[in-house]
Amino acid sequence: MARLRLDHARPTFLPIAPRGLVSDQIVFGLSRAPFGGQRLARSAGVATEIYEPGLVVPNPFAVRALDPATQADADWAESPVATAAPIASGAAISLGRFLTEGLAIALLQRDVIGVVPLIGAGPTPAQRAALDALDLASDFIAIDRATRVRRMIVTQRESGAINGRVPPVHADRFMRVAIEALRFAVEPYEISSQIALRRPRPIADYDVANRLSFDSWLASMGVVTIDPTAMRIGASDLGLLDLAAALAGARCVVIDDPSQAGLLGFCDPGTKVVEIAVDGWTDPRIAAMCLVFALDWRVVLCAAPAYSVSQPVPLGSTSLLRTEIDIAGVAMALDVS
Amino acid sequence: MSNPSDPLTESAHFDADTLTAVHGLAAWGNACFNPAAPDSVFHHAPNRVIGTWSHFLGGGARQPGADLGHAETAVCELAGVSAVSLAGALLDPTSMTILSPARGFYAPSGGSHAVLRCESSSQYDGVVTPVAGVDIHDIRHFLYKGLPSAVMLRGMLGPRLLVAGPVLQPWQAELLAALGLDQGYFSIAEPTRFTRIIATDMMRPEPPSRFARGAIDRLRFRFGQDHVRTRRLLIGDGQKAWGDDWSAIEAEAEDFGFEPVDLAPLSMAERARLFASATAVIGPSGAALALVGFCDPGTAILELQTTALLEGWTRVLCAVFGLEWYNLIISMSDITGETLLDRGSLRICLKNMVGAA
C-alpha cells in the first residue's frame, strides 16, 4: 500500500571549504589534502512518511513500517499512544547528533505538523534538558525495547542509495533548527575565547602518542577543554545551556570528534573551527557542519600509522591505530586569521 | 487613555542597551509576563565579524569590500541581537513604530511621530511581539528580520506571546499560516497600547542575523521540495533601467542554461519550492535575490551589483545560509547613469559558477 509522503529536501552535495583546500591557510600539518582532495560532502534528503503501523527500536535506533498482516506473531511492546513520532535518543546517541537529528526533526514536526508524542530511548540528562527547553519533554514516551506504534509519523534523512549502497550523509539545513532555538534562549558567556571540544578517549578510535603533551600545550595557550560526552569542564559539571553559552562566547574551537560536530552550531557565524583529523581517515562531517552554520573551518592533518590495519594490535596499544597530533600545525591553524 | 506624548520630546529615542539586562531564560520569561516587572533587555548575540569571500569579484575596478569600509579584507559585521520587554508600550501598525510612554521611541523600530499625535489609541490586555519592523512591506526585511524575530521569541516564550501587526498582505498571511502563527494573530488598525511589547532589534535594516535561519528552515520544511533539483534561475523581471545590458545578461545566462523566471504569479510556497530546486541563481542586488535563503546550502548565487548600489545584504545572507556567493560589479556611467556591462567578465563569472556553456 502506498504511504503518504512529503519530500522536504532532496539529497545533494555541500561544497565545503569555500576558499579551497589551501595548504597553510585551510589545511595544516601534512602536505596532503583531506578527503582525497574532494570538496563535496553529502547533504541528506529529508522526507516525512506515515507508517500504519510502524516499529521503533530504541537501541540501536531504527524504524520501519510493519505489514499489518504479520503483526500478531511478533515479539514487541505496544505503544501506549496510538500516534507517535520516533526520536533517536538515549546514551548511545551523542549530544551533537541528538540536537541536530532527533531534536531538530521533533521540533520541525511540532511546529509544522502539530503536537505529536515522541517515542524513543530514555534521554540522557543533557538530552532531557534540551527537550525541556523546547517544551518537548512532557509528551516523551521512553522505551527500552522494540515497540509497535499504530500510526507513526516518521521524518527521516535519506542519502540516496548508489548501486545498492547507502552512503553516509554529513549535514543538512534542517540540522540548524533546534540548535538555533536553543542558542536564542541563551546569552553568550565567554568562559574562554578558545575552547577545545574533546573526549578523554583518543581521536576517534586512535591512540594518540602525545595526548598529554597536547593537553598541556592547549592549556598553556589558554584553550579551555570541554568534554561534551561527560558534560564537564575541568572538574565542573556543565548544563546544556552552559555549553551553548560557552560555545556562543568562543571565537575559536578545536574539535577532534566528528560525532559531536553538531555542537559547533552553538558558535556564532565566523567562529574559527580547527579540526584535528588523521590523514587517510578524514570525515567531512565537521567541515560540512561549518558550511551549514557559516563557521570558518580549518583542518590539521596528523600522520596515519604506517603499519597495516589488519595486523594484531601493537604491543602496548589499546587500539589498533595510532597517531601523533601535529602541535605545530595546530598552533599555525590557531594563529592564521 | 491619556495622551502618551506628554513626557516625550520629538527626538526621544532609546536603545536596548539603556535597559537593565536580565540573565537566564527563566528570569527573562518572568520579565516578559510579570505585569510588575520593570522594562528589561536580554542579549542573545553580540556583534560579530564574518568573512564573506566571493568566488569571483570581477567586472569592476573596485572590490566591493572597499566600498563598505573594508579595503583589504572581505569581511562584514553581523549585527548583534537583543530583545527588550517594554511595559505599557504602543505599537503603530502603519509605521511599526514602538513607543514606550516612559522612555520614548524604541530606536530599532524607527520613530513615526504619527503615533505621538494619535489620540485614538486602543488598549489591549496582552503581551505581544510585532510581526515585522519598519520595513514590513519589503519582502527581505519581513522574511529575514521581522518574521524570524517573531518566530524565535514565540518559540522561546511560548504561545502566551501573541504576534501583532497590521492587516497582512496575502503573501505575508501565507507565511504566517505556514508557521502556524496565523492562529491568534492580533490585527490592529490604529496605534494600540499593550500590557507589554516584546521586540528584538532584528527589525533594524542591517543584513540578517543567524536567527533568520530558524524561520526560513521551518518554512522550507513546511513547503517541501519538487523532485527536480537542477534548475538555474535568472531573476530580475527585465531590469528596465539596465536597458540593452539586461538583454545581454539574459542572452549570456541562457547560454549557460539559466532560465528567466517571473515570480509575480507564484505563491510564496511555489516560490520557495522554485528556489529549493535551483543549483544556481542570478539576480541584481536587492529584492530579486530575497528568496535565496530557500536554496539548499552550497547553491551558487551570482549577485549583479552596480557601482550605484554596493550594499552588503546579499553577501551576508549567503554567508549566513551557507550559499556560494559570486559577485559581478557592473560599472555605471558617471554622465548618463547607464550600466556598462563587461560581457567578458560576465562569461568568466558564469563559467566559474556552473562550468562551460
Side-chain angles (χ1 to χ4, degrees):
Chain A
M1 186 178 70
R3 289 194 294 265
L4 188 64
R5 178 185 170 97
L6 172 63
D7 283 314
H8 307 286
R10 307 284 297 165
T12 182
F13 294 94
L14 299 170
I16 54 178
R19 287 188 287 171
L21 297 169
V22 185
S23 185
D24 293 340
Q25 290 184 32
I26 304 299
V27 182
F28 297 85
L30 300 176
S31 58
R32 288 188 285 274
F35 322 127
Q38 296 295 312
R39 286 184 48 226
L40 293 177
R42 286 189 170 276
S43 179
V46 178
T48 297
E49 291 183 282
I50 297 176
Y51 295 171
E52 290 184 306
L55 188 73
V56 54
V57 182
N59 188 18
F61 178 75
V63 294
R64 69 180 174 92
L66 289 174
D67 181 349
T70 61
Q71 60 189 275
D73 301 329
D75 178 26
W76 51 59
E78 286 290 327
S79 164
V81 295
T83 303
I87 182 169
S89 55
I93 306 293
S94 73
L95 181 59
R97 185 180 163 202
F98 174 77
L99 296 176
T100 51
E101 296 187 18
L103 190 67
I105 284 172
L107 187 60
L108 285 165
Q109 288 179 331
R110 197 264 312 268
D111 287 357
V112 174
I113 297 170
V115 176
V116 179
L118 301 172
I119 187 165
T124 64
Q127 293 170 357
R128 169 69 67 175
L131 289 162
D132 272 332
L134 300 181
D135 200 19
L136 288 164
S138 57
D139 292 329
F140 194 97
I141 300 163
I143 56 172
D144 57 8
R145 56 183 291 211
T147 301
R148 175 184 175 276
V149 182
R150 262 181 284 166
R151 191 164 192 265
M152 196 157 75
I153 299 172
V154 181
T155 300
Q156 290 195 95
R157 294 189 154 78
E158 301 170 338
S159 56
I162 300 173
N163 296 329
R165 293 180 56 216
V166 179
V169 291
H170 305 119
D172 64 74
R173 67 179 306 157
F174 301 119
M175 290 182 167
R176 296 188 290 223
V177 175
I179 291 276
E180 295 295 357
L182 291 168
R183 171 65 187 80
F184 192 75
V186 301
E187 184 179 8
Y189 181 76
E190 189 176 313
I191 290 173
S192 168
S193 64
Q194 300 184 108
I195 284 176
L197 277 178
R198 299 179 69 224
R199 298 188 296 174
R201 183 89 182 105
I203 305 171
D205 295 318
Y206 281 75
D207 277 343
V208 177
N210 62 341
R211 183 170 186 85
L212 206 58
S213 307
F214 183 58
D215 287 344
S216 302
W217 179 82
L218 281 177
S220 72
M221 297 295 291
V223 181
V224 170
T225 297
I226 290 176
D227 175 359
T229 306
M231 293 293 283
R232 293 182 76 80
I233 181 167
S236 304
D237 289 335
L238 209 57
L240 177 69
L241 297 184
D242 295 330
L243 177 65
L247 288 170
R251 299 310 294 149
C252 179
V253 176
V254 179
I255 182 170
D256 64 2
D257 182 1
S259 77
Q260 298 287 12
L263 299 179
L264 295 170
F266 289 126
C267 300
D268 277 350
T271 302
K272 185 193 293 183
V273 173
V274 176
E275 175 182 0
I276 299 172
V278 180
D279 183 37
W281 298 83
T282 46
D283 183 324
R285 275 180 288 177
I286 291 173
M289 206 62 79
C290 287
L291 179 86
V292 167
F293 281 100
L295 308 174
D296 193 2
W297 172 78
R298 290 101 203 272
V299 61
V300 180
L301 283 178
C302 307
Y307 53 82
S308 162
V309 294
S310 61
Q311 289 180 180
V313 175
L315 189 64
S317 296
T318 55
S319 69
L320 188 58
L321 304 175
R322 187 174 52 207
T323 190
E324 181 177 335
I325 294 175
D326 181 348
I327 294 177
V330 177
M332 281 181 67
L334 290 174
D335 278 347
V336 170
S337 60
Chain B
M1 182 183 150
S2 62
N3 186 339
S5 67
D6 292 339
L8 299 171
T9 67
E10 289 283 300
S11 59
H13 287 73
F14 70 98
D15 259 312
D17 289 343
T18 61
L19 302 177
T20 304
V22 168
H23 305 286
L25 181 56
W28 174 244
N30 182 53
C32 293
F33 293 106
N34 179 356
D39 293 354
S40 57
V41 59
F42 185 96
H43 295 295
H44 300 280
N47 292 1
R48 296 294 194 198
V49 171
I50 58 170
T52 55
W53 306 276
S54 167
H55 293 263
F56 183 82
L57 290 166
R62 293 181 292 177
Q63 299 285 294
D67 297 90
L68 294 170
H70 305 292
E72 299 297 329
T73 53
V75 297
C76 281
E77 188 166 291
L78 207 58
V81 175
S82 299
V84 294
S85 168
L86 304 172
L90 289 98
L91 175 65
D92 172 29
T94 305
S95 63
M96 298 306 284
T97 292
I98 295 171
L99 174 68
S100 163
R103 300 174 186 279
F105 295 115
Y106 177 49
S109 73
S112 167
H113 293 108
V115 65
L116 282 177
R117 292 187 288 272
C118 178
E119 294 185 358
S120 61
S121 305
S122 304
Q123 188 153 0
Y124 177 73
D125 187 19
V127 180
V128 303
T129 188
V131 70
V134 61
D135 295 310
I136 185 170
H137 302 300
D138 180 321
I139 190 168
R140 289 197 302 178
H141 291 274
F142 188 83
L143 256 183
Y144 298 105
K145 309 286 285 185
L147 193 60
S149 173
V151 168
M152 300 308 282
L153 284 172
R154 178 74 172 260
M156 184 183 182
L157 297 172
R160 280 191 296 168
L161 180 69
L162 300 178
V163 182
V167 175
L168 297 174
Q169 297 177 31
W171 64 270
Q172 294 169 324
E174 183 187 356
L175 292 171
L176 247 65
L179 294 167
L181 294 177
D182 56 333
Q183 302 295 321
Y185 177 72
F186 196 81
S187 180
I188 56 176
E190 61 183 0
T192 302
R193 179 198 287 263
F194 294 94
T195 306
R196 200 172 279 277
I197 292 179
I198 316 296
T200 71
D201 46 16
M202 287 167 72
M203 55 177 55
R204 280 203 170 100
E206 283 96 348
S209 75
R210 63 172 297 164
F211 300 118
R213 301 184 294 216
I216 303 298
D217 289 344
R218 280 174 172 83
L219 286 169
R220 173 63 197 279
F221 185 84
R222 172 67 182 79
F223 291 144
Q225 182 177 22
D226 296 333
H227 281 271
V228 178
R229 197 191 169 275
T230 53
R231 298 182 75 171
R232 295 174 181 176
L233 310 176
L234 173 63
I235 315 289
D237 197 23
Q239 287 299 108
K240 292 185 177 62
W242 294 14
D244 291 344
D245 275 351
W246 186 257
S247 303
I249 289 167
E250 284 186 320
E252 295 288 357
E254 283 179 29
D255 270 359
F256 284 82
F258 285 84
E259 49 178 316
V261 292
D262 180 10
L263 300 178
L266 304 180
S267 68
M268 287 306 298
E270 290 167 330
R271 292 181 196 191
R273 283 195 283 269
L274 178 69
F275 278 79
S277 72
T279 55
V281 179
I282 302 175
S285 299
L289 294 175
L291 301 178
V292 296
F294 290 113
C295 296
D296 280 334
T299 302
I301 310 297
L302 170 56
E303 180 180 12
L304 303 171
Q305 199 159 28
T306 68
T307 48
L309 184 62
L310 287 167
E311 61 161 22
W313 235 89
T314 302
R315 83 186 57 178
V316 174
L317 180 62
C318 288
V320 168
F321 279 83
L323 306 169
E324 270 198 7
W325 176 63
Y326 293 76
N327 186 215
L328 181 70
I329 306 292
I330 300 174
S331 300
M332 299 194 74
S333 165
D334 292 337
I335 299 169
T336 64
E338 293 175 330
T339 52
L340 303 169
L341 175 70
D342 176 354
R343 289 184 77 150
S345 290
L346 176 60
R347 286 191 73 81
I348 293 171
C349 196
L350 291 170
K351 188 177 173 189
N352 285 351
M353 194 180 173
V354 297

